[in-house]
């Protein structure tokens, strides 16, 4: 029996709920010490054909396989978007709210408004409005980012079984990786072209030697070069 993801669950959800557009959502960069957290969204409806061959959760694909697959996914999906929340935003409002903010930015780019969201994992971080979107009076601070809340279904390991979510994962991963490679040229020495901002040994050693730059998450457990002890809280996995 094949373990490849399919659109079976997405189609069942669309039929059961009676909706037209389902937004399949996944994030990458949650556990990095540097760079943004990135959210990918892929729209699915009942007319969407099966995903291109080879689609998997991005963690199961080699970088070369992801790069080959990404343009096929962009052509296949009826709608898709990728957006970021920067390291400074993560420090200011926290990881979950920053993920929510990146999700709002992605939803605002979609060609169709989704009526339901399928979210990888067990925690709904999408449907609670990010405080960063509001000013002190409770009004929306950036109306261009606001998308009316939609119901959310969470599914653990959806990126392993649902090809819409797996596609969102690949698009988010390839976009964030390309950004981290560019940032590696701006901030050399941390090895971001290889480690993409995660806590690889060479990255940690560079932090002990030189300290963080403005792309680092200062509230994370980043080594302090003066004491060789972490600054901030522990980083998150994922």
């Amino acid at each position: 029996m094949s373990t490849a993801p399919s659109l079976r669950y997405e189609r069942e959800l669309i039929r059961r709920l009676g909706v037209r557009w389902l937004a399949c959502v996944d994030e990458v960069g949650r556990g990095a010490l540097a760079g943004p957290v990135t959210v990918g969204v892929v729209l699915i409806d009942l007319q969407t054909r099966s995903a291109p061959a080879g689609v998997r959760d991005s963690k199961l694909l080699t970088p070369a396989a992801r790069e080959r697959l990404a343009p096929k996914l962009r052509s296949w999906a009826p709608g898709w978007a990728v957006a970021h929340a920067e390291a400074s935003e993560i420090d200011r409002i926290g990881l979950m709210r920053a993920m929510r903010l990146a999700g709002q930015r992605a939803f605002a780019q979609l060609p169709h408004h989704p009526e339901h969201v399928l979210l990888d994992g067990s925690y709904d971080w999408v449907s609670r409005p990010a405080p960063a979107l509001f000013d002190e009076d409770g009004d929306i601070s950036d109306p261009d980012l606001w998308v009316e809340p939609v119901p959310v279904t969470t599914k653990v390991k959806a990126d392993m079984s649902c090809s819409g979510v797996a596609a969102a994962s690949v698009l988010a991963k390839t976009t964030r990786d390309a950004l981290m490679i560019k940032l590696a040229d701006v901030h050399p020495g941390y090895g971001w072209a290889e480690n993409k901002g995660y806590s690889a040994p060479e990255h940690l050693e560079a932090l002990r030697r030189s300290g963080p730059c403005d792309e680092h998450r200062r509230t994370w457990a980043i080594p302090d070069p003066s004491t060789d002890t972490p600054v901030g809280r522990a980083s998150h996995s994922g």
Side-chain angles (χ1 to χ4, degrees), residues 22 33 54-55 62 82 110 115 122 125 131 136 142 183 190 220:
L22 176 69
L33 298 179
V55 66
T62 65
V82 175
L110 294 173
E115 298 158 90
S122 60
W125 48 263
E136 294 180 353
D142 190 345
L183 289 175
Y190 296 107
W220 257 231

Side-chain angles (χ1 to χ4, degrees), residues 25-27 30 39 96 99-100 102-103 119-120 123-128 154:
V25 179
D26 202 3
E27 53 74 28
R30 180 187 301 207
V39 172
M96 290 299 168
M99 289 163 56
R100 197 170 303 130
L119 178 62
D120 180 54
Y123 177 71
D124 173 11
W125 48 263
V126 166
S127 63
R128 297 169 178 84
T154 59

Side-chain angles (χ1 to χ4, degrees), residues 151-176:
V152 173
T153 293
T154 59
K155 182 175 174 60
V156 175
K157 298 189 182 300
D159 51 4
M160 303 289 287
S161 60
C162 302
S163 53
V165 178
S169 173
V170 171
L171 293 177
K173 177 66 173 169
T174 52
T175 301
R176 186 182 185 278

Side-chain angles (χ1 to χ4, degrees), residues 14-85:
I14 289 171
R15 290 190 181 99
R16 173 160 51 86
L17 297 172
V19 299
R20 169 69 190 277
W21 293 111
L22 176 69
C24 301
V25 179
D26 202 3
E27 53 74 28
V28 298
R30 180 187 301 207
L33 298 179
V37 64
T38 301
V39 172
V41 183
V42 167
L43 284 178
I44 299 294
D45 71 355
L46 286 179
Q47 282 68 54
T48 304
R49 66 187 188 278
S50 297
V55 66
R56 297 286 189 282
D57 170 25
S58 64
K59 295 185 291 295
L60 301 180
L61 298 170
T62 65
R66 290 193 295 263
E67 290 297 330
R68 288 194 298 269
L69 190 56
K72 297 177 183 179
L73 295 175
R74 289 191 288 266
S75 297
W76 159 76
W80 64 273
V82 175
H84 312 283

Side-chain angles (χ1 to χ4, degrees), residues 29-30 32 35-38 85-99 217 219-220 233:
R30 180 187 301 207
V37 64
T38 301
E86 304 302 329
S88 60
E89 293 174 317
I90 295 170
D91 285 339
R92 187 172 73 251
I93 63 176
L95 178 63
M96 290 299 168
R97 291 174 180 173
M99 289 163 56
R217 303 173 187 179
T219 53
W220 257 231
R233 59 186 171 83

